[in-house]
Amino acid sequence: MKQKFLVFLFIASSLFASGFQLNEFGAKAMGMGGAFTAVANTPTAIFFNPAGITQLNGTQLSIGSNIITLGSTFRGVSPNITEYKLKDQIFTPIIGQFTYKYDDNLSFGIGLGNPFGLGTKWDDNWIGRYITTEIEIRVFSLQPVVAYKIFDNLSLSAGINYNYADVLIRKNVNLAPFSTTDGQVKITGDDQSLGYAFGILYKPTDNLSFGLGYRSKVKYEFSGTTSKVAPAQLAGKLPSGKTSAKLTTPVNLSVGVAYKFDNLLLSCDYQYVGWSSYDSLNIKFNESNLESKSYRGYNNSYIIRFGLDYNVNDILNLYAGIYYDKSPVKDEHLDPTLPDANRMGYSAGFGYKFNENIQLDLSYLFLRMEERKITNSEINYSGIAGAIAPFNGVYNSYAHLFSLTLNYSF
Amino acid sequence: MKKIKILIYLKLFIISFLLTSCEDRSNLSAPIVENGSANFTTFVTIGNSLTAGYQSGTLFESAQKYSYGALIAKQVGTTYEIPYISDPGTGNRMEVKSVDLNKGTAEIVYNTASGSPLNSNYPKAYNNLGIPGATLYDIINATSSSNCYAAIYGGSPNPMFDLILRGKGSQFSQAKSLKPTFVILWIGNNDILGYATSGGTVPYTPVANFQFLYSQLVDSIASLNAQVVVLNIPDVLSIPFFTTVPPVVQNPADGSLINLYGIVGGTTKQLKLGKDFLTLTSKSEIAAGKGLSPSNPLPDKYVLDSAEVATAKNIIAQYNSTIATLASAKGFTLVDINSVLNNIATSTNGVLFNGVRFSTKYLTGNLFSLDGVHPTSQGQAIIANEIIKAINSKYNANIPLINVATIPGSIILQKYNSNNNIIPIFNNDKFNILF
């Protein structure tokens, strides 16, 4: 009988998949499809390639925000094609960077951003409610960096990042063989952790540049609490109280090349994301002395980015970009916590100079995820342990992102 | 040079945008339900409590909507009107007050509140014509509580007949009024169940009468010119009602087993484990000290001794052979539900359906509701799937089976802070009423 109730502990799991990672640290970089590693010529460089800040004069400040909306539908469970829609939510990750050029060779910078900051919310009565009803993950990252120009055409940079993360997971619990209402479990937790970053910018000629940016993985040991709602008769069987979970966000390595033709700057990035460290998600319910393990087996993934920056005149620049982001989630493990898929990103934006000191960047990015039809799901949506109830169906997802950054140079 | 580059970029951008931005819905279509030559235009189920979707001692909406008939109707996409009674149903619903999941034990209480009929004004006959308590005799003959078998031969009118028949004629005549194209008939259980659940103190329908009545019924059903599926009668002795309370108790002093005493046919005898059976209702009697000595035996109505067990098994076998012969003669499809339930009952660790384990264990076996006689909603789904398999085979159809893991649990937990009048476990006479 005990085994039967272990199912209560299956916790949604694709928490940190690529959809929850954000690479949007500034409007210009986003407008250029994120192909910014070899460009790195705004304070946003702190996150893409901190070596780039040696290109910035004086003291510079970038502040802004993104506005992100996600849309996703699930049609299933196969053979049914009933459509379920993700609830509307708006996410507003912050943008804040500051750089200071100490002398010709030495620069400092500090950046504040959200490398993760999304979530999904489904109806409390939807068919996948035993998999997930709500999840949200936010990471605030504060990254001080130092950059040094070794030669005129080569800059190196390194920094550390302090990260504060909080997470919320909510789902229903099937109380079968008992009837009528579901139980509910909600887990919240947070942690802080350190990581590091470095970057290289190499400009063999005035028009050609190469860049490399590296952000380390960050290990978290979340601690928090689990609260539950269940009939009094069964309450003792649901986990509650102190909860902990270990999680590691993946390493990111980007290499890029950019070339300038007169007024047109073209750039291209390859970003490697080391998801394979994400083997399984283990959540410990200390007071119930139980551990929920869910196997993930993510693939490493990559993103290929192309971007352009077209200098129209002294006050106006136009940006455009396109990228392809490979999903790390295998078909059989895809779940609605994060309806991930290979995705295409299309971006456009502009930069407008009000005067010598103030520039506004505004960009829009549309993300279209490939339709994903799952026929071999290993996700059991029945909420009954051991049951064979594969969550097969069709996912369609997209996202709209708006980004606004105000750059001020002193 | 510059312009050309920009144009190439723009073209690439637009082309790839167009390629991926439109949702591809071409590979989706509604599930194709292939009914083959089965005709579900008008679908009727006729029977007793098992057909009605009765659970945990009462008839209530949240159980009725998972009767096998309702589940099949949903799979084939046909209309199926149900005489819904709002929760908690027709009264005395059995609910779990407290539960020890590790021991698999629970304290059961009766919810004395009752619901009310939700579509008693439905102008036509219901598609679910299962009446809790109905016997074989009743299908053609009973038109109200006052002329049902229980009233005529037991002196206890069964109000379920008024509730479901609403003065519009017998179960059969109402089924006929719908001009059904597909009929499922599952009847005869109560003709022997009352004998068993009363410890052999209530008579069963003699086999000759059963043969006559069943023959008459299949003739009538055949006259409807519908496609017909019939189910046979499961072995009543494999239900938790008889397998939960053993005829022995443990001696607290040394752990040895003490065989209880019970009255059978007027004489007191010592009961043997595995041979003699006690009803679920005997539990509180034993708790009160009954059966521990020959001078204080368990009353007859709690004891189904080995001879009565043999009689019941023999009668069921003859009923089932009657059903098989008569159904076959009319070309009806027979579902041997008796074998299916026996397989579950005789397996040591239960049987997996869609990965969920089912056994005939009381409370924890998933198969039976709290009354120990009637299936849970998931149990109904197992029955529905057996019927669907038979239909698929006979009519060359491809009706999808139900994933039993997705059918909600149906063991009712008592609501705290309600004003329910709590009655201690197992009201003794409750089970002498037919099901």
Side-chain angles (χ1 to χ4, degrees):
Chain A
M1 203 60 191
K2 199 174 179 185
Q3 188 209 350
K4 169 169 285 166
F5 287 88
L6 278 179
V7 70
F8 292 177
L9 310 179
F10 280 129
I11 300 300
S13 37
S14 32
L15 199 51
F16 283 105
S18 77
F20 287 176
Q21 172 163 317
L22 294 172
N23 296 294
E24 284 70 38
F25 298 107
K28 180 175 177 183
M30 190 178 98
M32 294 178 67
F36 206 61
T37 309
V39 180
N41 59 1
T42 70
T44 306
I46 291 170
F47 291 105
F48 283 89
N49 176 7
I53 65 170
T54 58
Q55 304 175 95
L56 306 174
N57 290 324
T59 303
Q60 300 211 6
L61 176 70
S62 280
I63 53 167
S65 180
N66 299 316
I67 296 173
I68 303 177
T69 62
L70 304 176
S72 189
T73 62
F74 173 79
R75 278 165 292 153
V77 173
S78 304
N80 289 321
I81 53 166
T82 312
E83 182 172 274
Y84 304 88
K85 277 198 164 93
L86 196 69
K87 285 192 168 181
D88 290 338
Q89 279 181 289
I90 293 176
F91 301 92
T92 53
I94 51 166
I95 296 167
Q97 292 114 16
F98 177 82
T99 62
Y100 171 65
K101 189 160 193 160
Y102 177 77
D103 61 26
D104 276 354
N105 297 329
L106 183 63
S107 296
F108 299 99
I110 185 162
L112 178 66
N114 295 113
F116 295 88
L118 293 175
T120 54
K121 207 179 204 174
W122 299 85
D123 191 87
D124 279 357
N125 298 314
W126 88 294
I127 196 159
R129 64 191 179 278
Y130 302 128
I131 307 169
T132 180
T133 50
E134 186 179 2
I135 190 160
E136 186 169 0
I137 168 86
R138 285 188 306 179
V139 175
F140 289 89
S141 187
L142 190 67
Q143 181 164 308
V145 297
V146 54
Y148 193 76
K149 198 187 275 184
I150 302 179
F151 307 111
D152 269 357
N153 59 7
L154 179 68
S155 297
L156 301 180
S157 174
I160 54 167
N161 48 54
Y162 163 83
N163 304 285
Y164 170 81
D166 65 4
V167 60
L168 177 152
I169 299 172
R170 199 162 61 80
K171 57 175 288 203
N172 282 21
V173 173
N174 188 350
L175 300 173
F178 301 98
S179 81
T180 56
T181 41
D182 290 336
Q184 241 185 41
V185 174
K186 182 175 151 187
I187 304 173
T188 54
D190 62 3
D191 189 32
Q192 44 202 340
S193 186
L194 293 176
Y196 62 94
F198 61 83
I200 304 170
L201 186 67
Y202 175 55
K203 292 185 124 179
T205 71
D206 278 353
N207 293 339
L208 179 65
S209 62
F210 295 97
L212 179 147
Y214 179 92
R215 267 182 292 144
S216 71
K217 58 185 176 188
V218 180
K219 289 183 177 173
Y220 296 96
E221 290 188 31
F222 288 96
S223 62
T225 53
T226 299
S227 57
K228 64 189 172 186
V229 180
Q233 291 98 326
L234 300 176
K237 282 292 152 188
L238 270 66
S240 65
K242 282 189 179 163
T243 306
S244 58
K246 287 184 185 176
L247 249 166
T248 303
T249 55
V251 60
N252 277 269
L253 173 68
S254 301
V255 288
V257 56
Y259 192 82
K260 197 170 184 185
F261 308 86
D262 299 335
N263 295 341
L264 177 67
L265 176 72
L266 298 178
S267 73
C268 169
D269 269 28
Y270 174 88
Q271 180 178 354
Y272 166 87
V273 192
W275 284 112
S276 64
S277 59
Y278 190 27
D279 262 355
S280 75
L281 177 63
N282 302 343
I283 300 182
K284 255 189 191 163
F285 300 95
N286 307 32
E287 284 165 29
S288 332
N289 198 24
L290 286 168
E291 187 167 14
S292 136
K293 297 186 179 183
S294 50
Y295 173 74
R296 302 318 305 162
Y298 273 30
N299 295 320
N300 291 324
S301 72
Y302 60 87
I303 309 170
I304 298 171
R305 305 169 178 280
F306 298 94
L308 66 85
D309 169 4
Y310 180 61
N311 183 220
V312 181
N313 56 36
D314 284 351
I315 57 166
L316 183 66
N317 279 47
L318 297 179
Y319 314 129
I322 183 167
Y323 71 83
Y324 176 76
D325 184 349
K326 179 102 174 86
S327 171
V329 188
K330 292 174 181 161
D331 272 5
E332 57 268 38
H333 296 141
L334 184 68
D335 78 37
T337 310
L338 175 77
D340 201 39
N342 297 336
R343 56 188 70 182
M344 290 299 302
Y346 306 92
S347 62
F350 67 89
Y352 183 80
K353 268 201 182 88
F354 289 97
N355 57 42
E356 272 307 302
N357 296 350
I358 300 177
Q359 172 162 341
L360 174 82
D361 289 322
L362 188 64
S363 295
Y364 166 72
L365 168 64
F366 176 70
L367 271 183
R368 156 60 64 198
M369 301 182 211
E370 275 175 13
E371 178 172 277
R372 204 155 175 190
K373 183 174 189 176
I374 307 297
T375 55
N376 60 345
S377 177
E378 289 175 10
I379 305 292
N380 164 11
Y381 75 99
S382 73
I384 298 176
I388 299 158
F391 199 61
N392 287 327
V394 178
Y395 294 89
N396 271 289
S397 308
Y398 61 88
H400 298 285
L401 296 90
F402 300 89
S403 184
L404 183 145
T405 311
L406 203 61
N407 296 290
Y408 189 82
S409 54
F410 299 86
Chain B
M1 170 74 184
K2 188 174 73 191
K3 278 188 176 164
I4 292 171
K5 285 272 178 188
I6 295 174
L7 278 177
I8 290 172
Y9 255 86
L10 263 176
K11 270 186 186 165
L12 277 174
F13 182 84
I14 291 165
I15 287 168
S16 61
F17 187 89
L18 290 175
L19 279 177
T20 54
S21 62
C22 305
E23 285 190 40
D24 175 16
R25 298 191 174 224
S26 58
N27 58 351
L28 281 179
S29 56
I32 299 161
V33 177
E34 297 168 26
N35 288 348
S37 55
N39 180 357
F40 280 97
T41 309
T42 309
F43 173 48
V44 174
T45 57
I46 304 170
N48 49 43
S49 52
L50 296 165
T51 297
Y54 185 100
Q55 289 188 35
S56 293
T58 189
L59 190 64
F60 57 102
E61 184 184 13
S62 58
Q64 287 173 290
K65 64 181 175 192
Y66 293 103
S67 70
Y68 70 83
L71 293 170
I72 293 169
K74 195 177 167 203
Q75 293 302 95
V76 301
T78 189
T79 311
Y80 191 75
E81 283 293 331
I82 297 167
Y84 279 128
I85 312 292
S86 61
D87 286 27
T90 47
N92 283 321
R93 184 168 73 179
M94 300 173 77
E95 301 181 351
V96 172
K97 184 186 178 192
S98 66
V99 61
D100 183 331
L101 291 166
N102 293 323
K103 288 186 191 159
T105 57
E107 186 184 356
I108 312 291
V109 293
Y110 286 95
N111 183 346
T112 53
S114 53
S116 48
L118 296 180
N119 66 341
S120 55
N121 294 325
Y122 183 63
K124 293 197 284 185
Y126 298 116
N127 298 84
N128 186 335
L129 288 167
I131 300 181
T135 63
L136 174 54
Y137 168 89
D138 291 321
I139 303 292
I140 289 180
N141 299 295
T143 56
S144 73
S145 60
S146 56
N147 63 10
C148 68
Y149 185 89
I152 296 170
Y153 298 99
S156 51
N158 177 350
M160 293 285 191
F161 281 87
D162 298 330
L163 203 62
I164 294 162
L165 295 178
R166 300 170 294 161
K168 294 169 187 273
S170 69
Q171 282 165 280
F172 172 73
S173 65
Q174 293 204 32
K176 187 177 177 180
S177 74
L178 291 173
K179 301 189 176 67
T181 58
F182 205 104
V183 176
I184 297 177
L185 173 70
W186 192 8
I187 194 67
N189 315 66
N190 287 324
D191 295 78
I192 181 65
L193 190 65
Y195 171 82
T197 54
S198 67
T201 59
V202 168
Y204 53 82
T205 305
V207 172
N209 294 20
F210 190 93
Q211 284 169 339
F212 171 78
L213 290 168
Y214 209 90
S215 169
Q216 190 185 39
L217 181 59
V218 293
D219 283 345
S220 306
I221 299 274
S223 73
L224 299 173
N225 289 319
Q227 294 165 330
V228 182
V229 169
V230 299
L231 284 78
N232 63 7
I233 296 165
D235 180 358
V236 294
L237 297 167
S238 57
I239 60 180
F241 190 81
F242 293 108
T243 55
T244 303
V245 183
V248 293
V249 292
Q250 211 167 30
N251 186 337
D254 58 6
S256 64
L257 295 179
I258 301 168
N259 288 58
L260 295 170
Y261 294 88
I263 301 172
V264 179
T267 56
T268 298
K269 65 180 261 189
Q270 198 171 21
L271 306 173
K272 290 197 182 72
L273 189 62
K275 303 269 184 205
D276 306 309
F277 292 84
L278 296 180
T279 64
L280 195 52
T281 48
S282 68
K283 197 170 180 166
S284 53
E285 296 289 310
I286 298 167
K290 280 262 165 68
L292 290 169
S293 74
S295 59
N296 188 19
L298 282 163
D300 199 354
K301 64 180 178 178
Y302 300 114
V303 182
L304 199 67
D305 79 325
S306 52
E308 289 165 337
V309 168
T311 301
K313 280 182 182 290
N314 175 36
I315 296 299
I316 291 169
Q318 293 192 60
Y319 284 180
N320 279 343
S321 120
T322 302
I323 292 171
T325 310
L326 294 172
S328 156
K330 298 290 180 193
F332 297 167
T333 307
L334 176 69
V335 173
D336 186 5
I337 203 72
N338 180 31
S339 295
V340 174
L341 296 178
N342 261 339
N343 277 344
I344 301 173
T346 54
S347 66
T348 342
N349 293 313
V351 176
L352 293 175
F353 292 86
N354 296 111
V356 184
R357 194 172 295 280
F358 288 86
S359 76
T360 53
K361 268 206 177 123
Y362 187 64
L363 187 66
T364 58
N366 284 334
L367 191 58
F368 286 96
S369 66
L370 291 175
D371 58 33
V373 175
H374 298 96
T376 56
S377 297
Q378 293 188 339
Q380 286 276 358
I382 291 172
I383 293 164
N385 279 342
E386 292 303 322
I387 297 170
I388 290 172
K389 283 186 218 166
I391 293 169
N392 283 345
S393 157
K394 168 95 173 209
Y395 297 103
N396 198 22
N398 192 20
I399 302 161
L401 295 177
I402 297 149
N403 187 331
V404 300
T406 64
I407 302 294
S410 60
I411 304 271
I412 308 287
L413 294 167
Q414 184 195 21
K415 277 208 179 76
Y416 273 55
N417 307 322
S418 66
N419 293 321
N420 295 341
N421 203 356
I422 297 167
I423 299 169
I425 192 164
F426 295 133
N427 182 345
N428 289 331
D429 293 320
K430 173 79 183 162
F431 289 91
N432 291 341
I433 303 168
L434 295 178
F435 295 95

